[in-house]
Coordinates of all heavy atoms in Angstrom, one line a residue:
M1 N -198.1 114.0 76.0 CA -198.1 113.2 77.3 C -199.1 112.1 77.1 O -198.8 110.9 77.2 CB -198.5 114.1 78.5 CG -197.3 114.9 78.9 SD -197.8 116.1 80.2 CE -198.1 117.5 79.2
G2 N -200.4 112.4 76.9 CA -201.4 111.3 76.8 C -201.4 110.7 75.4 O -201.8 111.4 74.4
K3 N -201.0 109.5 75.3 CA -201.0 108.8 74.0 C -202.4 108.5 73.4 O -202.5 108.3 72.3 CB -200.2 107.5 74.1 CG -198.7 107.8 74.1 CD -197.9 106.5 74.3 CE -196.4 106.8 74.5 NZ -195.7 105.5 74.8
R4 N -203.3 108.5 74.3 CA -204.7 108.1 73.9 C -205.4 109.2 73.1 O -206.2 108.9 72.3 CB -205.5 107.7 75.1 CG -205.2 106.3 75.6 CD -206.1 106.1 76.8 NE -205.5 105.2 77.7 CZ -205.9 105.0 79.0 NH1 -206.9 105.6 79.4 NH2 -205.2 104.2 79.8
S5 N -205.1 110.4 73.4 CA -205.8 111.5 72.8 C -205.3 111.8 71.4 O -204.2 112.2 71.2 CB -205.7 112.8 73.6 OG -204.4 113.1 73.9
R6 N -206.2 111.5 70.4 CA -205.8 111.7 69.0 C -206.2 113.2 68.6 O -205.5 113.8 67.8 CB -206.7 110.8 68.1 CG -206.3 109.4 68.3 CD -207.2 108.5 67.4 NE -207.5 107.3 68.1 CZ -208.7 106.7 68.2 NH1 -209.7 107.3 67.7 NH2 -208.9 105.6 68.8
Q7 N -207.2 113.7 69.2 CA -207.6 115.0 68.8 C -206.9 116.1 69.7 O -206.6 115.8 70.8 CB -209.1 115.2 69.0 CG -209.9 114.4 68.0 CD -211.4 114.5 68.3 OE1 -211.8 114.6 69.5 NE2 -212.2 114.3 67.3
K8 N -206.7 117.2 69.1 CA -206.1 118.3 69.8 C -207.2 118.7 70.8 O -208.3 119.0 70.5 CB -205.9 119.4 68.8 CG -204.7 120.2 69.1 CD -204.5 121.3 68.0 CE -203.3 122.1 68.4 NZ -203.1 123.2 67.4
P9 N -206.8 118.7 72.1 CA -207.8 119.1 73.1 C -208.2 120.6 72.9 O -207.4 121.4 72.5 CB -207.1 118.8 74.4 CG -205.7 118.8 74.1 CD -205.5 118.4 72.7
E10 N -209.4 120.8 73.3 CA -209.8 122.2 73.3 C -209.1 122.9 74.5 O -208.8 122.3 75.5 CB -211.3 122.3 73.6 CG -212.1 122.0 72.4 CD -213.6 122.0 72.6 OE1 -214.0 121.6 73.7 OE2 -214.3 122.5 71.8
K11 N -208.8 124.2 74.2 CA -208.1 124.9 75.3 C -209.1 125.9 75.9 O -209.9 126.4 75.2 CB -206.9 125.7 74.7 CG -205.8 124.7 74.2 CD -204.5 125.5 74.0 CE -203.5 124.8 73.3 NZ -203.1 123.5 74.0
H12 N -208.9 126.1 77.2 CA -209.7 127.0 77.8 C -208.9 128.2 78.4 O -207.7 128.0 78.8 CB -210.7 126.4 78.9 CG -210.0 125.8 80.0 ND1 -209.7 124.4 80.0 CD2 -209.4 126.3 81.1 CE1 -209.0 124.2 81.1 NE2 -208.9 125.3 81.8
C13 N -209.5 129.3 78.5 CA -208.8 130.5 78.9 C -208.4 130.3 80.4 O -209.2 129.9 81.2 CB -209.7 131.7 78.8 SG -209.1 133.2 79.6
V14 N -207.2 130.7 80.7 CA -206.7 130.6 82.1 C -207.4 131.6 83.0 O -207.6 131.4 84.2 CB -205.2 130.8 82.1 CG1 -204.6 130.9 83.5 CG2 -204.5 129.6 81.4
G15 N -207.8 132.7 82.4 CA -208.4 133.8 83.1 C -209.9 133.5 83.5 O -210.3 133.6 84.7
C16 N -210.7 133.1 82.5 CA -212.1 133.0 82.7 C -212.7 131.7 82.4 O -213.9 131.5 82.5 CB -212.9 134.1 82.0 SG -212.8 133.9 80.2
Q17 N -211.8 130.7 82.0 CA -212.2 129.3 81.8 C -213.1 129.2 80.5 O -213.6 128.1 80.2 CB -213.0 128.7 82.9 CG -212.3 128.9 84.3 CD -210.9 128.3 84.4 OE1 -210.7 127.2 84.0 NE2 -210.0 129.1 84.8
A18 N -213.2 130.2 79.7 CA -214.0 130.1 78.5 C -213.2 129.3 77.5 O -212.0 129.3 77.4 CB -214.3 131.5 77.9
I19 N -214.0 128.5 76.7 CA -213.3 127.7 75.6 C -213.6 128.5 74.3 O -214.7 128.7 73.9 CB -213.9 126.3 75.5 CG1 -213.5 125.5 76.8 CG2 -213.4 125.6 74.3 CD1 -214.2 124.1 76.9
V20 N -212.5 128.9 73.8 CA -212.6 129.7 72.5 C -211.7 129.2 71.5 O -210.7 128.5 71.8 CB -212.3 131.2 72.8 CG1 -213.4 131.9 73.6 CG2 -210.9 131.4 73.5
A21 N -212.0 129.5 70.2 CA -211.2 128.9 69.1 C -209.9 129.7 68.9 O -209.0 129.2 68.2 CB -212.1 128.9 67.8
E22 N -209.9 130.9 69.4 CA -208.7 131.7 69.2 C -208.2 132.3 70.5 O -209.0 132.9 71.2 CB -209.0 132.9 68.2 CG -207.8 133.6 67.8 CD -208.1 134.7 66.8 OE1 -209.1 135.5 67.1 OE2 -207.5 134.9 65.8
M23 N -207.0 132.0 70.8 CA -206.5 132.4 72.1 C -205.1 133.2 71.9 O -204.5 133.0 70.9 CB -206.3 131.2 73.0 CG -207.5 130.4 73.1 SD -207.5 129.3 74.5 CE -207.8 130.5 75.8
F24 N -204.8 133.9 72.9 CA -203.6 134.7 72.9 C -202.6 134.2 73.9 O -202.9 134.0 75.1 CB -203.9 136.2 73.1 CG -204.9 136.6 72.0 CD1 -206.3 136.5 72.3 CD2 -204.5 137.1 70.8 CE1 -207.2 136.9 71.3 CE2 -205.4 137.5 69.9 CZ -206.8 137.4 70.1
R25 N -201.3 134.0 73.4 CA -200.3 133.6 74.4 C -199.7 134.8 75.0 O -199.1 135.7 74.3 CB -199.3 132.8 73.6 CG -198.2 132.2 74.5 CD -197.2 131.3 73.7 NE -197.8 130.1 73.4 CZ -198.0 129.6 72.1 NH1 -197.6 130.4 71.1 NH2 -198.6 128.5 71.9
V26 N -199.8 134.9 76.3 CA -199.3 136.1 76.9 C -198.5 135.8 78.2 O -198.6 134.7 78.7 CB -200.4 137.1 77.3 CG1 -201.2 137.6 76.1 CG2 -201.4 136.5 78.3
K27 N -197.8 136.7 78.7 CA -196.9 136.6 79.8 C -196.9 138.0 80.5 O -197.0 139.0 79.9 CB -195.5 136.3 79.3 CG -194.6 135.5 80.2 CD -193.3 135.3 79.5 CE -192.4 134.5 80.2 NZ -191.1 134.3 79.5
Y28 N -196.8 138.0 81.8 CA -196.6 139.2 82.5 C -195.8 139.0 83.8 O -195.4 137.9 84.1 CB -198.0 139.9 82.8 CG -199.0 139.1 83.6 CD1 -199.1 139.3 85.0 CD2 -199.8 138.2 83.0 CE1 -200.0 138.6 85.7 CE2 -200.8 137.5 83.8 CZ -200.8 137.7 85.1 OH -201.7 137.0 85.8
Q29 N -195.5 140.1 84.4 CA -194.5 140.0 85.5 C -194.8 138.9 86.6 O -193.9 138.2 86.9 CB -194.5 141.4 86.2 CG -193.1 141.6 86.8 CD -193.0 143.1 87.3 OE1 -193.9 143.6 87.9 NE2 -191.9 143.7 86.9
E30 N -196.0 138.8 87.0 CA -196.3 137.9 88.1 C -196.4 136.5 87.6 O -196.6 135.5 88.4 CB -197.5 138.3 88.9 CG -197.3 139.6 89.7 CD -198.6 140.1 90.2 OE1 -199.5 139.4 90.4 OE2 -198.6 141.3 90.5
Q31 N -196.4 136.3 86.3 CA -196.7 135.0 85.7 C -195.5 134.7 84.9 O -195.2 135.2 83.8 CB -197.9 135.2 84.8 CG -198.3 134.0 84.0 CD -198.9 132.9 84.9 OE1 -199.7 133.2 85.7 NE2 -198.4 131.7 84.7
S32 N -194.7 133.7 85.4 CA -193.4 133.4 84.8 C -193.5 132.6 83.5 O -192.6 132.6 82.7 CB -192.4 132.8 85.7 OG -193.0 131.7 86.4
D33 N -194.6 131.8 83.4 CA -194.8 131.0 82.2 C -195.8 131.6 81.3 O -196.7 132.4 81.7 CB -195.3 129.6 82.6 CG -194.2 128.8 83.3 OD1 -193.1 128.9 82.9 OD2 -194.5 128.1 84.3
W34 N -195.8 131.2 80.1 CA -196.7 131.7 79.1 C -198.1 131.1 79.4 O -198.2 129.9 79.8 CB -196.3 131.2 77.7 CG -195.1 131.9 77.2 CD1 -193.9 131.4 77.1 CD2 -195.0 133.3 76.7 NE1 -193.0 132.4 76.6 CE2 -193.7 133.5 76.3 CE3 -196.0 134.3 76.5 CZ2 -193.2 134.7 75.8 CZ3 -195.5 135.5 76.0 CH2 -194.2 135.7 75.6
I35 N -199.1 131.9 79.3 CA -200.5 131.4 79.5 C -201.3 131.7 78.3 O -201.0 132.6 77.5 CB -201.1 132.0 80.8 CG1 -201.1 133.5 80.7 CG2 -200.5 131.5 82.0 CD1 -202.0 134.2 81.8
L36 N -202.4 130.9 78.1 CA -203.3 131.2 77.0 C -204.6 131.8 77.5 O -205.2 131.2 78.4 CB -203.6 129.9 76.2 CG -202.5 129.4 75.3 CD1 -202.8 127.9 74.9 CD2 -202.3 130.3 74.1
V37 N -204.9 132.9 76.9 CA -206.1 133.6 77.4 C -207.0 134.0 76.2 O -206.5 134.1 75.1 CB -205.8 134.8 78.3 CG1 -205.1 134.4 79.6 CG2 -205.0 135.8 77.5
C38 N -208.2 134.3 76.5 CA -209.1 134.8 75.5 C -208.9 136.3 75.2 O -208.1 136.9 76.0 CB -210.6 134.5 75.9 SG -211.1 135.6 77.2
K39 N -209.5 136.8 74.2 CA -209.3 138.2 73.9 C -209.6 139.2 75.0 O -208.9 140.1 75.3 CB -210.3 138.6 72.7 CG -210.2 140.0 72.3 CD -209.5 140.1 70.9 CE -209.2 141.5 70.6 NZ -208.4 141.6 69.4
A40 N -210.7 138.9 75.7 CA -211.1 139.8 76.8 C -210.0 139.8 77.9 O -209.7 140.9 78.5 CB -212.5 139.4 77.4
C41 N -209.6 138.6 78.3 CA -208.5 138.5 79.3 C -207.2 139.1 78.9 O -206.5 139.7 79.6 CB -208.4 137.1 79.8 SG -209.8 136.5 80.6
Q42 N -206.9 138.9 77.6 CA -205.7 139.5 77.0 C -205.7 141.0 77.2 O -204.7 141.6 77.6 CB -205.5 139.2 75.6 CG -204.2 139.6 75.0 CD -204.3 140.3 73.7 OE1 -205.4 140.3 73.0 NE2 -203.3 141.0 73.3
L43 N -206.8 141.6 76.9 CA -206.9 143.1 77.1 C -206.7 143.5 78.5 O -206.1 144.6 78.8 CB -208.3 143.6 76.6 CG -208.5 143.5 75.0 CD1 -209.9 143.8 74.7 CD2 -207.5 144.4 74.3
A44 N -207.2 142.7 79.5 CA -207.0 143.0 80.9 C -205.5 142.9 81.3 O -204.9 143.7 82.0 CB -207.9 142.2 81.7
I45 N -204.9 141.8 80.8 CA -203.5 141.5 81.1 C -202.5 142.5 80.5 O -201.5 142.8 81.1 CB -203.2 140.0 80.7 CG1 -203.9 139.1 81.7 CG2 -201.7 139.8 80.8 CD1 -203.8 137.6 81.2
K46 N -202.9 143.0 79.4 CA -202.1 144.1 78.7 C -201.8 145.2 79.7 O -200.8 145.9 79.5 CB -203.0 144.7 77.6 CG -202.4 144.5 76.3 CD -203.3 145.1 75.2 CE -202.7 145.0 73.8 NZ -203.7 145.3 72.8
E47 N -202.6 145.5 80.6 CA -202.4 146.6 81.6 C -201.4 146.2 82.7 O -200.9 147.1 83.4 CB -203.7 147.0 82.3 CG -204.9 147.2 81.3 CD -204.6 148.3 80.3 OE1 -203.9 149.3 80.7 OE2 -204.9 148.2 79.2
Q48 N -201.0 144.9 82.8 CA -200.1 144.5 83.8 C -198.7 144.9 83.4 O -198.3 145.0 82.3 CB -200.1 142.9 83.9 CG -201.5 142.4 84.2 CD -201.8 142.4 85.7 OE1 -200.9 142.5 86.5 NE2 -203.1 142.2 86.0
D49 N -197.8 145.0 84.5 CA -196.4 145.3 84.2 C -195.8 144.1 83.6 O -196.1 142.9 83.9 CB -195.7 145.5 85.6 CG -196.0 146.9 86.1 OD1 -196.5 147.8 85.3 OD2 -195.8 147.1 87.3
G50 N -194.9 144.3 82.7 CA -194.1 143.2 82.1 C -194.9 142.4 81.1 O -194.5 141.3 80.8
Y51 N -196.0 143.0 80.6 CA -196.8 142.3 79.6 C -196.0 141.9 78.3 O -195.3 142.8 77.8 CB -198.0 143.2 79.2 CG -198.7 142.7 78.0 CD1 -199.6 141.6 78.1 CD2 -198.5 143.2 76.8 CE1 -200.3 141.1 77.0 CE2 -199.2 142.8 75.6 CZ -200.1 141.7 75.8 OH -200.8 141.3 74.7
Q52 N -196.1 140.7 77.9 CA -195.5 140.3 76.7 C -196.5 139.5 75.9 O -197.2 138.7 76.4 CB -194.3 139.3 77.0 CG -193.0 140.1 77.3 CD -191.9 139.1 77.6 OE1 -191.8 138.5 78.7 NE2 -191.1 138.8 76.6
Y53 N -196.4 139.6 74.6 CA -197.4 138.9 73.7 C -196.6 137.9 72.9 O -195.6 138.2 72.3 CB -198.0 140.0 72.8 CG -198.8 139.4 71.7 CD1 -200.0 138.7 72.0 CD2 -198.4 139.4 70.3 CE1 -200.8 138.2 71.0 CE2 -199.2 138.9 69.3 CZ -200.4 138.2 69.7 OH -201.2 137.7 68.7
G54 N -197.0 136.7 73.0 CA -196.3 135.6 72.4 C -196.9 135.0 71.2 O -196.4 133.9 70.7
G55 N -198.0 135.5 70.6 CA -198.6 135.0 69.4 C -200.0 134.5 69.7 O -200.5 134.5 70.8
T56 N -200.6 134.2 68.6 CA -202.0 133.7 68.6 C -202.1 132.2 68.4 O -201.4 131.7 67.6 CB -202.8 134.4 67.5 OG1 -202.6 135.8 67.7 CG2 -204.3 134.1 67.6
W57 N -203.0 131.6 69.2 CA -203.2 130.2 69.0 C -204.6 130.0 68.4 O -205.5 130.5 68.9 CB -203.1 129.5 70.4 CG -203.4 128.0 70.3 CD1 -202.6 127.0 70.0 CD2 -204.7 127.4 70.5 NE1 -203.2 125.8 70.0 CE2 -204.5 126.0 70.3 CE3 -206.0 127.9 70.7 CZ2 -205.6 125.1 70.4 CZ3 -207.0 127.0 70.8 CH2 -206.9 125.6 70.7
K58 N -204.6 129.2 67.3 CA -205.9 128.9 66.7 C -206.2 127.4 66.7 O -205.3 126.7 66.4 CB -206.0 129.5 65.3 CG -206.2 131.0 65.3 CD -206.2 131.5 63.9 CE -206.3 133.0 63.9 NZ -206.2 133.6 62.6
Q59 N -207.4 127.1 67.0 CA -207.8 125.7 67.0 C -207.6 125.2 65.5 O -208.1 125.8 64.6 CB -209.2 125.5 67.4 CG -209.6 124.2 67.8 CD -210.9 124.1 68.5 OE1 -211.8 124.9 68.2 NE2 -211.0 123.3 69.5
A60 N -207.0 124.1 65.4 CA -206.7 123.5 64.1 C -207.9 123.3 63.3 O -208.9 122.7 63.8 CB -205.8 122.3 64.2
K61 N -207.9 123.7 62.0 CA -209.1 123.4 61.2 C -208.8 122.3 60.2 O -207.7 122.2 59.7 CB -209.4 124.7 60.4 CG -210.1 125.7 61.2 CD -210.4 126.9 60.3 CE -210.9 128.1 61.2 NZ -210.9 129.4 60.4
R62 N -209.8 121.5 60.0 CA -209.6 120.4 59.0 C -210.3 120.8 57.7 O -211.4 121.3 57.7 CB -210.3 119.1 59.5 CG -209.4 118.4 60.5 CD -210.2 117.3 61.1 NE -209.3 116.6 62.1 CZ -208.7 115.4 61.8 NH1 -208.9 114.9 60.6 NH2 -208.0 114.8 62.6
N63 N -209.6 120.6 56.6 CA -210.2 121.0 55.4 C -210.7 119.7 54.6 O -210.2 118.7 54.7 CB -209.1 121.6 54.4 CG -208.8 123.0 55.0 OD1 -209.6 123.7 55.4 ND2 -207.5 123.3 54.9
Ligands
ZN1 ZN1 -210.8 134.8 79.3

């Protein structure tokens, strides 16, 4: 969307707003879209009905 941003923006956890380098894509019953959360929030969401795990997101590393 934003053509000005060259860098991959940092993502923050939808649950606790923490910015972390590794996030988990999850979905659950009350949440129809995929959301990215940190490990702690993922563990909490795991207990929700309809929990689905959609993979891990890692901040891109430059070599
Ligand atoms: Zn979190």
Side-chain angles (χ1 to χ4, degrees):
M1 286 174 264
K3 283 178 185 172
R4 280 182 212 165
S5 55
R6 290 177 218 132
Q7 290 175 331
K8 214 176 178 183
E10 285 177 318
K11 293 195 190 301
H12 62 264
C13 172
V14 172
C16 67
Q17 312 301 310
I19 294 173
V20 290
E22 189 180 46
M23 306 197 77
F24 303 89
R25 184 176 287 120
V26 298
K27 207 179 186 182
Y28 57 96
Q29 205 170 49
E30 291 170 23
Q31 178 70 46
S32 52
D33 290 320
W34 293 102
I35 55 169
L36 283 169
V37 295
C38 69
K39 179 111 188 168
C41 292
Q42 186 228 346
L43 290 174
I45 288 170
K46 238 178 180 170
E47 309 301 319
Q48 303 275 343
D49 285 342
Y51 169 78
Q52 278 180 278
Y53 173 69
T56 306
W57 175 88
K58 284 181 184 172
Q59 198 166 37
K61 283 179 190 168
R62 281 172 177 258
N63 292 318

